[in-house]
Amino acid sequence: MANGAQALLTTLVDCGVQVCFANPGTSEMHFVAALDAVPQMHGVLCLFEGVATGAADGYARIAGKPAATLLHLGPGLSNGLANLHNARRAHSPVVNIIGDHAGYHKKYDAPLESEVESLTAWTHGWTRRTTGGDEVGRDAAEAVAASLTGPGGVANLILPADISWGDGATAAAPHTPGSPSRPDPAVVAEIATVLGSGDPVCLLLGGPATGAPGLAAADRIAAATGARTLVETFPARLTRGAGVPAIERLGYLAEQAGAQLDGIKHLIVAGTRPPVTFFAYPDRPSDLVPDGAVVHHLAGLDTDVVAALQQLADAVAPDTAARGAPPAVPDLPDGALDAHNWGQVIGALLPAHAIISDESNTSGLLLAGATAGSPQHDVLALTGGAIGQGLPVAVGAAIAAPKRPVIALQADGSAAYTISALWTMAREGLNITVVLLNNNAYAILRMELARVGAGAGGPKAAQLLDLARPEMDFASIAQGFGVPATVAVTCEELAEQFAAAVAAPGPHLIDARIPTAF
Amino acid sequence: MANGAQALLTTLVDCGVQVCFANPGTSEMHFVAALDAVPQMHGVLCLFEGVATGAADGYARIAGKPAATLLHLGPGLSNGLANLHNARRAHSPVVNIIGDHAGYHKKYDAPLESEVESLTAWTHGWTRRTTGGDEVGRDAAEAVAASLTGPGGVANLILPADISWGDGATAAAPHTPGSPSRPDPAVVAEIATVLGSGDPVCLLLGGPATGAPGLAAADRIAAATGARTLVETFPARLTRGAGVPAIERLGYLAEQAGAQLDGIKHLIVAGTRPPVTFFAYPDRPSDLVPDGAVVHHLAGLDTDVVAALQQLADAVAPDTAARGAPPAVPDLPDGALDAHNWGQVIGALLPAHAIISDESNTSGLLLAGATAGSPQHDVLALTGGAIGQGLPVAVGAAIAAPKRPVIALQADGSAAYTISALWTMAREGLNITVVLLNNNAYAILRMELARVGAGAGGPKAAQLLDLARPEMDFASIAQGFGVPATVAVTCEELAEQFAAAVAAPGPHLIDARIPTAF
């Protein structure tokens, strides 16, 4: 006879959930004990909930299915929220198991008591508080299906301790997730007419359209019609490199985006929304669609966007093939590292089938060009802007694809948020190479201080954007968490260390000293 | 003419807020720039919002007034929630300044957009979204007053970027916080009768009653009537040591608490609530009040509880003095460190006027006895159970009392949550000695696994409670964040390093290798 925790775990496994990123507490002890009764579930210990939720996001982006998390009551969930925000923006399926006090205990308002549902509401996710052993299996199956419905999203299952430990619980069979709508032929035909109009057109891709099939369809359209193509600024998973159509990302800075969209009369959006600025800036528009341009929605995230692109390509480019990027890597640079040449080292040495978890922020502004002709790879971007995503996402990606090399390109300021992800990399022996872009500053904020019109800033403002006093020694920190680490000051050092790290099993961190451009 | 950020900062300073623990983003750049226009505000950079909120809690517990935090939109607030939960349970005044997108930008649902109010609701705090430059000063003054009203609490001021940068804003004069109610003479008289009844009575103290005046009044009552006295399990600030009445804390384990309360007929609560278990356990009551005992509420947190205790003492013990603990410190032990003797080292060497930020968890179960006769000190406990409080609270306490030695007694698993607090200690040159109790385990969970009836746990369960693979080298981590660090394996090493660290200015971390008892 199963207790609630065992029925829950059995159901999750039967629904295809194989990994649980966990940071448990007392109220989750029966769930932890049940891991020995349901050995198909791989429990991965994280030392902070933001690592667990970010890892689940990274896992989902690569595996295409959810991992579970195990979180300790409201405060545990609260620590995981920022990376759930990023997961929501990535449309990643994630199933949170949120332990809570036994139902009868909540009225006592014990120290860890809080309104869990106030936090789950913030995730925009499916949420249910399971209320009995005869329901926990069904609720878990529905949670998994909910996470996979539509473009994918966060599902929250609140598990009271007395349901977890109560006997007589029953597992449930998988539920079928909702399917995306099929493309509307009338919309496809209308947009085909726009593409044939001769007006300047741009096709903006996002969501599932940034995989190889969507990019190929978009490039056929571009090749046949002359339309520009762009990928949304922060894609959840962008396939690129040699053999894949090279489609530029929309710039983060409004100045860049303005140039990319300048002169268009029609903007076709597929799997994303019309572009807006990341932040508001005084006296500048938030809406990046050029004045007078008409927006056309080919397919939203509730529709099969790749099929819509393929139908559109078949309509306007029936005999046109997609153009894969030619294989071409930069020469290895030499001399001191700077904001430009470190990316050339990565481009020159990127291994085949790599996954890049990209939280390089300002240091990565020139990365895309350096890796455009490297072997095919996937880039996982910072979808929601909540920093501290990069290392956890790398953990999840590496667990989803243990045979692929994972490269975490990680800005220093952001790294400090979820630095204990390094420990999980070491514990699990994950094939992750962290290139820690150590410029001793919140460089992006130095840039933004002026861009928002706050002026150059005085000495007190400068101090709040400066990470140099004291300088962080990330190699020392990594070693403290059990990850071998080295320091690179020159291109030669970075190249040698990167090649060795990629070739060796397990994680390695390179503390790359990159002067900031700001 | 001031912009909104300048008016806000001027108002905060005029209201007595002198410190802002900040982790800013683009939407807060005008606030950052305004720090140079309002130099009375000390901006303290934290590398993670949970450090900022925990530091504000620690500051408030020592300073008795709020610090501000500066948080970056909903995700920034989310990262600070766990320590705001602890601050709420500590009744600490904290004023959060939460930057948000410009009002007109919110409709675009840019990547960092979220429902900030869903998160502020979770804090149980006063919350306002300021809507104009003519209101931001008034709103800030009300926020400070709200944080100081009643026992103290969290106040959330949401600051849209366009209010921050908008001109024509005006500062406001301080508002007067609400005062606590005066004690009810009828209640005092009734409880005096209970104390005179001859029945076994226990007086349980919490909130402001755990400072020296409340403890003295309680001890007079105990000395005159024979009543037992206890302090709540996790006090926000407990004064103790030589010269202060030694009043035991109610045990964390129900077994301990049951023994402490066994046989009483009346429980008088002052500044706290009747005790309950921290978690629910199968087949054990959550309510710790013994069957048949009558609960009497001397004063809740809306009442001046110290005055109530003093009036009660004057009624039942007019001629009785409080009994300060005699000065008596343990002999310095020798040999390998263990779960018991490390506390004796601290007790033997604790400097005068120390502040202890206590997140020692299982390693600290025997600490209280070892420090009972040490020089007078304050202990700041983990009020809300959300781990990761200890290092940030130490930061805030050290900034509130720069001349007092701050000792952070920090469990290893909890330390990983907010480890970047070490960097702020180094940057600010804070006089903090961190004793990192490194037992390579979530030892409390090993204990709880059995206590909740989940059995001994199999190998997969054991793995989720084990921090030994890989072992964390906290000295290396601390040095990476700029904090000098040493490793202690023996009592002699701990004693030598602790004495040196306390004597030297600035922070120091001792990675104390303590075998776990579980």
Side-chain angles (χ1 to χ4, degrees), chain A residues 126-149:
Chain A
W126 179 98
T127 297
R128 185 170 299 163
R129 177 181 290 273
T130 196
T131 58
D134 52 344
E135 295 174 1
V136 66
R138 180 204 67 193
D139 291 344
E142 286 193 33
V144 175
S147 78
L148 287 164
T149 295

Side-chain angles (χ1 to χ4, degrees), chain A residues 224-489:
Chain A
T225 69
R228 295 179 214 176
T229 48
L230 287 169
V231 165
E232 61 186 345
T233 309
F234 294 103
R237 177 181 178 172
L238 172 63
T239 302
R240 61 194 302 277
V244 182
I247 302 187
E248 209 174 32
R249 283 158 64 174
L250 187 72
Y252 168 74
L253 301 175
E255 302 87 313
Q256 299 172 297
Q260 291 170 306
L261 297 171
D262 186 45
I264 64 166
K265 296 293 177 200
H266 299 275
L267 179 68
I268 302 167
V269 292
T272 185
R273 295 176 301 173
V276 300
T277 59
F278 209 82
F279 293 103
Y281 298 91
D283 305 321
R284 288 193 233 171
S286 296
D287 187 347
L288 289 171
V289 179
D291 283 344
V294 180
V295 174
H296 307 269
H297 294 268
L298 176 63
L301 286 164
D302 53 350
T303 301
D304 185 341
V305 59
V306 174
L309 283 164
Q310 288 169 336
Q311 291 172 18
L312 185 60
D314 290 345
V316 303
D319 304 318
T320 307
R323 303 156 298 184
V329 301
D331 293 333
L332 271 175
D334 52 26
L337 287 171
D338 63 31
H340 179 45
N341 62 20
W342 76 266
Q344 296 176 313
V345 175
I346 304 302
L349 299 176
L350 194 69
H353 312 299
I355 298 167
I356 295 180
S357 176
D358 181 12
E359 193 168 343
S360 54
N361 301 353
T362 50
S363 293
L365 288 175
L366 299 168
L367 178 70
T371 53
S374 299
Q376 182 176 332
H377 57 279
D378 287 297
V379 174
L380 315 181
L382 179 56
T383 46
I387 61 174
Q389 174 193 277
L391 299 179
V393 156
V395 166
I399 286 176
K403 294 183 178 169
R404 295 181 65 179
V406 175
I407 315 296
L409 304 178
Q410 182 59 54
D412 51 354
S414 304
Y417 271 56
T418 47
I419 192 72
S420 72
L422 294 168
W423 183 84
T424 299
M425 294 182 192
R427 161 169 284 214
E428 299 286 327
L430 302 177
N431 292 319
I432 300 173
T433 301
V434 180
V435 181
L436 202 300
L437 304 158
N438 191 347
N439 64 17
N440 282 316
Y442 284 127
I444 196 165
L445 297 183
R446 288 189 184 162
M447 178 181 78
E448 293 284 37
L449 186 71
R451 293 184 72 242
V452 299
K460 293 186 73 182
Q463 186 177 342
L464 273 195
L465 310 181
D466 165 49
L467 303 180
R469 295 174 308 105
E471 291 188 10
M472 277 182 273
D473 176 348
F474 281 99
S476 183
I477 293 170
Q479 286 161 351
F481 282 117
V483 171
T486 48
V487 175
V489 177

Side-chain angles (χ1 to χ4, degrees), chain A residues 187-218:
Chain A
V187 170
V188 172
E190 180 196 319
I191 292 178
T193 306
V194 169
L195 285 162
S197 68
D199 285 341
V201 176
C202 182
L203 177 55
L204 180 65
L205 309 169
T210 63
L215 298 173

Side-chain angles (χ1 to χ4, degrees), chain B residues 349-375:
Chain B
L349 299 177
L350 194 71
H353 312 298
I355 299 168
I356 295 179
S357 175
D358 181 11
E359 193 169 342
S360 54
N361 301 353
T362 50
S363 294
L365 288 174
L366 299 167
L367 178 70
T371 54
S374 300

Side-chain angles (χ1 to χ4, degrees), chain B residues 370-429:
Chain B
T371 54
S374 300
Q376 182 176 332
H377 57 280
D378 287 298
V379 174
L380 315 181
L382 178 56
T383 46
I387 60 174
Q389 173 193 277
L391 299 178
V393 156
V395 165
I399 285 176
K403 294 183 178 168
R404 295 180 65 178
V406 175
I407 315 296
L409 304 178
Q410 181 60 52
D412 52 355
S414 304
Y417 271 57
T418 48
I419 191 73
S420 72
L422 293 169
W423 183 85
T424 300
M425 295 181 191
R427 162 170 284 217
E428 299 287 327

Side-chain angles (χ1 to χ4, degrees), chain B residues 479-505:
Chain B
Q479 286 162 351
F481 282 116
V483 170
T486 47
V487 175
V489 177
T490 65
C491 292
E492 292 88 338
E493 288 166 350
L494 177 60
E496 182 184 345
Q497 293 168 19
F498 183 81
V502 167

